[in-house]
Amino acid sequence: MANYNPVTPEVIAELEKIVPGRVVTGADVNPDYARDEMPIYGTHLPDVSIDVLTTEEVAGIMKVCYKYNIPVTTRGAGTGLAGGCTPICGGVVLCTMRMNKILSYDLENFAVTVQPGVLLQQLADDALQHGCMYPPDPGEKMATLGGNVSTNAGGMRAVKYGATRDYVRAMTVVLPTGEVTRFGSTVSKTSSGYSMTNLMIGSEGTLGIITELTLKLIPAPKATVSLMAPFEDLDACISTVPKFFMNHFKPQALEFFEKEILVSSEEYLGKQVFPRQIDGVEAGAYLLVTFDGETMDELDPLVERAAEMLLEEGAMDVLVADTAPKLKDTWAARSSFLEGIEEQTKLLDECDVVVPVNRIAPYVAFVNEAGKKYDFEVKYFGHAGDGNLHIYTCSNDMEKDAFHDQVDRFMSEIYAKAMEFGGQISGEHGIGMGKVKYLAEAVGPVNVALMQGIKKVFDPKLILNPGKVCYSL
């Protein structure tokens, strides 16, 4: 592992020449820059923070840091959940939040060019004004697009439209040396050598700093409808998921969750949306399904067939949300699951394993059984349509060290089972600093060595976001 140098007055003076008035040090550094949204991985204040505005500024800063061997961590909104933007070696934090302009639309090629600090919700709303949709739909709408690309964020529409990776056409990147390069173009396919664009997507800021993105858009669907299907028990609920694909229903989103996590979310929002009982019988779990298309006339037969299938598979009822207010309330409850958990939990860790869709039910059964051996509570929900499960370990009364120890053993168990089922460690949140050990255990020494070799080619001094993804400190 690299040995880094301290940020000296000489270094600060050189940085000031590049970004005068924006080099923040010591007690003036924003404490939020010490961590992301998952504080269980610790806080580490940087020596310096800089809110950057241009590619040229980033390049100049990197040249200084490369020369003096100063570690650099890039962050956007800090909404990550794996410690990915935590500056564990101190040094410099570059925040891209002020690089927040939608630069241009190319409507003939259905593309948009943005700076990395543009928020997901900002682009989603703006694209609709142009008759377009940006399909990636992670739950955290206040995340930046640069952060989404850096973790290959997935979200609820991934089952139909794919993850962020499928919508990145091109990018401008500043390398650790300060060199500026461009990967990709607006064309829809390429066989032109190694895919440098795809190396950057999901690399979590360890290979380069993204300063501009060209993203693919699609024509916005004109009609959307959601179905809420309560089930008496979780197993029947999850076992229904593969039937959507066997019947060629092609949902835009397909989510599952237990009643307890729904109640937390609705209490957080102060509004009940989903029924808790049907004809006096308690609902134990729910499927939430969305379809989209050109017209409601097109969707109506599909919705009818899907509802019939759900009832045949044991749904207690099927409720339809087909107006803007109903859709908003329904998905607000789903989107607030994490906030509801955070509000009610003192000690919290999470993972977002992904398994084949037909293994969700046995995998959840394994997680439930494994969780019984520990003192924390296990909560979960998931993108049932693509097998991506969000599993949370929660405690309000354990000691922190005991919580860490038990969570580590639990995570090792459930990650190993996910790999046994043909799954992966992370479906969308990334590895960051919190999952480095588990990734190494899952992929083995050969693959770790390959990842580390790629890292060294891009970043020979290992100064960019150290201690993340494939290197531990």
Side-chain angles (χ1 to χ4, degrees):
M1 182 50 68
N3 292 314
Y4 302 112
N5 291 324
V7 180
T8 63
E10 180 183 12
V11 172
I12 291 172
E14 291 196 33
L15 294 173
E16 277 283 359
K17 291 178 183 177
I18 300 164
V19 284
R22 279 184 278 129
V23 179
V24 181
T25 61
D28 294 327
V29 173
N30 186 337
D32 288 345
Y33 288 7
R35 64 174 180 88
D36 66 6
E37 200 171 321
M38 191 57 67
I40 196 71
Y41 302 128
T43 58
H44 302 267
L45 271 171
D47 302 294
V48 172
S49 69
I50 303 171
D51 289 359
V52 290
L53 302 178
T54 67
T55 297
E56 292 72 26
E57 287 182 354
V58 175
I61 292 165
M62 290 311 305
K63 286 175 182 176
V64 172
C65 292
Y66 192 79
K67 179 172 71 172
Y68 289 103
N69 207 35
I70 305 294
V72 179
T73 303
T74 310
R75 65 173 285 125
T79 59
L81 297 171
C85 67
T86 303
I88 53 180
C89 292
V92 175
V93 160
L94 297 185
C95 181
T96 62
M97 283 289 288
R98 290 173 66 180
M99 298 180 70
N100 57 4
K101 294 181 177 63
I102 297 174
L103 298 173
S104 63
Y105 282 89
D106 178 357
L107 295 179
E108 291 181 327
N109 289 304
F110 278 92
V112 61
T113 299
V114 302
Q115 292 182 313
V118 172
L119 301 181
L120 173 64
Q121 190 67 59
Q122 181 186 350
L123 177 61
D125 293 342
D126 198 74
L128 286 175
Q129 301 303 311
H130 293 78
C132 298
M133 181 170 81
Y134 178 63
D137 187 38
E140 179 51 78
K141 303 302 187 286
M142 294 298 109
T144 63
L145 294 170
N148 282 175
V149 172
S150 293
T151 58
N152 187 33
M156 291 169 272
R157 292 197 289 241
V159 59
K160 180 173 182 177
Y161 292 114
T164 298
R165 183 183 304 279
D166 301 299
Y167 295 88
V168 180
R169 290 284 197 237
M171 60 177 68
T172 299
V173 175
V174 178
L175 299 175
T177 57
E179 297 167 280
V180 180
T181 188
R182 181 137 178 107
F183 298 144
S185 71
T186 55
V187 298
S188 59
K189 63 180 182 178
T190 176
S191 296
S192 308
Y194 298 144
S195 177
M196 308 300 280
T197 307
N198 274 295
L199 268 179
M200 286 296 301
I201 300 165
S203 65
E204 302 185 46
T206 62
L207 304 181
I209 300 172
I210 298 168
T211 59
E212 188 175 293
L213 288 162
T214 298
L215 303 171
K216 172 186 170 183
L217 303 171
I218 66 171
K222 295 182 176 64
T224 304
V225 60
S226 290
L227 303 181
M228 295 180 279
F231 285 78
E232 197 167 346
D233 66 85
L234 181 66
D235 188 63
C237 177
I238 298 176
S239 298
T240 304
V241 171
K243 304 294 175 65
F244 281 86
F245 306 102
M246 295 166 66
N247 285 281
H248 308 286
F249 287 149
K250 296 182 180 179
Q252 182 208 77
L254 178 52
E255 304 286 300
F256 86 89
F257 43 92
E258 288 189 292
K259 183 176 76 173
E260 287 75 12
I261 210 160
L262 171 68
V263 171
S264 295
S265 175
E266 291 183 333
E267 287 177 351
Y268 171 78
L269 291 171
K271 186 173 188 176
Q272 183 178 332
V273 180
F274 289 75
R276 308 277 174 84
Q277 292 185 345
I278 303 294
D279 296 331
V281 179
E282 290 283 335
Y286 300 80
L287 283 180
L288 175 57
V289 193
T290 294
F291 299 99
D292 62 13
E294 282 300 297
T295 65
M296 284 305 299
D297 287 343
E298 170 193 331
L299 291 181
D300 283 343
L302 176 63
V303 168
E304 186 174 339
R305 287 191 292 122
E308 289 174 357
M309 182 274 290
L310 284 164
L311 293 170
E312 288 171 2
E313 295 299 320
M316 302 165 70
D317 198 357
V318 178
L319 299 97
V320 179
D322 54 2
T323 65
K326 286 182 181 178
L327 287 166
K328 181 180 179 181
D329 288 346
T330 299
W331 283 98
R334 165 59 187 87
S335 296
S336 298
F337 283 171
L338 175 56
E339 288 84 353
I341 293 172
E342 287 177 330
E343 188 178 68
Q344 300 176 10
T345 308
K346 293 178 182 177
L347 291 173
L348 178 67
D349 201 351
E350 70 92 40
C351 74
D352 76 312
V353 295
V354 56
V355 298
V357 170
N358 66 337
R359 307 308 296 272
I360 296 175
Y363 185 74
V364 168
F366 176 85
V367 169
N368 281 332
E369 196 61 32
K372 294 176 182 177
K373 296 182 288 186
Y374 301 101
D375 297 323
F376 49 73
E377 185 179 1
V378 178
K379 298 181 180 181
Y380 47 80
F381 56 90
H383 309 308
D386 55 31
N388 188 193
L389 313 177
H390 299 300
I391 300 168
Y392 292 84
T393 54
C394 310
S395 178
N396 287 316
D397 49 26
M398 293 180 68
E399 293 295 328
K400 192 172 183 179
D401 288 346
F403 180 76
H404 273 294
D405 178 64
Q406 290 195 24
V407 168
D408 178 53
R409 287 184 279 135
F410 173 72
M411 292 292 184
S412 291
E413 277 191 77
I414 66 172
Y415 281 133
K417 180 60 70 171
M419 298 302 291
E420 180 187 319
F421 279 1
Q424 293 286 315
I425 296 298
S426 173
E428 57 188 13
H429 293 168
I431 302 303
M433 62 181 284
K435 312 299 179 186
V436 174
K437 166 191 169 183
Y438 307 118
L439 179 68
E441 291 173 349
V443 304
V446 172
N447 286 355
V448 169
L450 288 169
M451 292 182 201
Q452 291 176 344
I454 292 168
K455 166 71 170 170
K456 287 179 181 177
V457 169
F458 276 80
D459 183 13
K461 291 187 176 183
L462 305 179
I463 64 169
L464 201 55
N465 205 9
K468 312 294 171 61
V469 184
C470 59
Y471 276 103
S472 58
L473 297 176

